[in-house]
Amino acid sequence: QDFLVACSASAGPAFEGGSISCGMRATSGAIDSVRISREEISISATTIDDCPPVGLCGTGLIDALSEMLLAGLVDRNGTLQVERAAARFQTSDEDGRARFVLVSSAESGSGRDVTISQADVENLIRTKGAIFAAADCLMQSVGLSFADLERVYIAGGFGNKLDVTSCINIGLLPDVAPENIHFIGNSSAAGAKMVMLSRAMLEQVHALRDQITYQELMVDPAYMERFTSACFLPHTDLSQFPSVAARVEGQVDR
């Protein structure tokens, strides 16, 4: 209540479907949620507007990576485990690396397989690693840890459909109680509207701006170290994610 700190992480477009082999924006036919059974590796997925699947949007990508981790289809290093379900894997014509088939061409809306490649997994891990490391640096800069957080607010239309447990499983969000994480929608648009309609709100924005200390991550020597540590599933230090460790080991359900 006395001061504010902020930072910005360069995370890339992966969670918007960019630079992902079957990525797409959140529109009709985009897979937006995924579940994979551990025993027989059977897959169920939902799509936007209940259309035949043609690709994966951000929420579907996060779900898929989380479910693949829990099912043993990808290890904590982010390496696809082909032997776990060989019939579900292909070899990419582009780079000769493995790709996991979520939806076969016969069931898709495009006539092509919907897959997640090894390169896609690596891209997603780098993206979530950048976001987590930024938040970690911000907390450390004020002498706090994630355990001190009472509330986490997630803005943007993307946040409205996120599965909190999936986000924690891959290490995108810290391992805090899910009930402490709140989605607030498109706050930038809502804030812009408030400022346009109220001079008092504009003055409040100026006052808030003057209270913010901006942390420049590119000159923070700790950021790259934390980023490297975050480029695992969910993290190199599994003690930071006790609930994920229990789920990976099958001690608790999703």
Side-chain angles (χ1 to χ4, degrees):
Q1 64 191 35
D2 298 317
F3 64 93
L4 301 167
V5 291
C7 69
S8 176
S10 179
F15 287 147
E16 285 75 49
S19 65
I20 300 294
S21 57
C22 290
M24 62 182 292
R25 64 188 182 90
T27 189
S28 296
I31 295 173
D32 58 358
S33 72
V34 177
R35 290 294 178 267
I36 302 175
S37 70
R38 296 190 186 200
E39 292 75 21
E40 64 275 11
I41 313 297
S42 63
I43 300 171
S44 60
T46 64
T47 65
I48 296 175
D49 295 332
D50 293 323
C51 294
V54 294
L56 292 122
C57 64
T59 57
L61 287 164
I62 291 170
D63 259 11
L65 186 57
S66 168
E67 292 293 299
M68 290 169 70
L69 175 66
L70 297 183
L73 294 164
V74 64
D75 66 13
R76 291 186 55 221
N77 291 322
T79 303
L80 294 176
Q81 302 298 293
V82 177
E83 68 282 356
R84 180 75 174 88
R88 279 254 174 208
F89 283 90
Q90 301 172 344
T91 300
S92 171
D93 294 332
E94 298 172 4
D95 58 11
R97 306 173 79 190
R99 58 173 66 228
F100 179 69
V101 179
L102 273 173
V103 180
S104 69
S105 58
E107 299 173 317
S108 77
S110 64
R112 298 187 298 273
D113 296 324
V114 178
T115 64
I116 295 181
S117 70
Q118 181 65 65
D120 294 337
V121 171
E122 293 165 359
N123 201 344
L124 291 168
I125 289 177
R126 285 193 297 270
T127 296
K128 73 90 184 175
I131 296 170
F132 183 87
D136 197 11
C137 282
L138 203 60
M139 298 300 293
Q140 295 291 330
S141 73
V142 292
L144 298 173
S145 71
F146 290 125
D148 297 309
L149 291 173
E150 293 182 3
R151 287 179 294 278
V152 177
Y153 295 105
I154 300 177
F158 176 60
N160 289 331
K161 297 292 184 179
L162 283 176
D163 184 296
V164 169
T165 301
S166 293
C167 292
I168 294 173
N169 284 343
I170 68 171
L172 172 61
L173 293 178
D175 197 351
V176 300
E179 59 268 23
N180 292 346
I181 298 175
H182 306 276
F183 300 104
I184 59 174
N186 194 336
S187 60
S188 58
K193 180 179 179 180
M194 292 165 69
V195 166
M196 291 173 69
L197 296 175
S198 169
R199 182 170 295 278
M201 285 294 176
L202 177 61
E203 293 171 354
Q204 185 174 343
V205 166
H206 290 162
L208 286 170
R209 179 195 60 197
D210 294 339
Q211 294 178 37
I212 296 173
T213 298
Y214 179 71
Q215 301 289 334
E216 177 53 73
L217 297 180
M218 292 302 101
V219 298
D220 184 346
Y223 175 70
M224 189 52 65
E225 179 182 343
R226 290 196 170 96
F227 170 68
T228 302
S229 296
C231 285
F232 287 77
L233 295 171
H235 195 274
T236 52
D237 181 7
L238 202 53
S239 67
Q240 292 192 43
F241 290 86
S243 74
V244 182
R247 282 190 285 273
V248 169
E249 294 167 6
Q251 298 172 4
V252 298
D253 293 332
R254 295 180 179 85

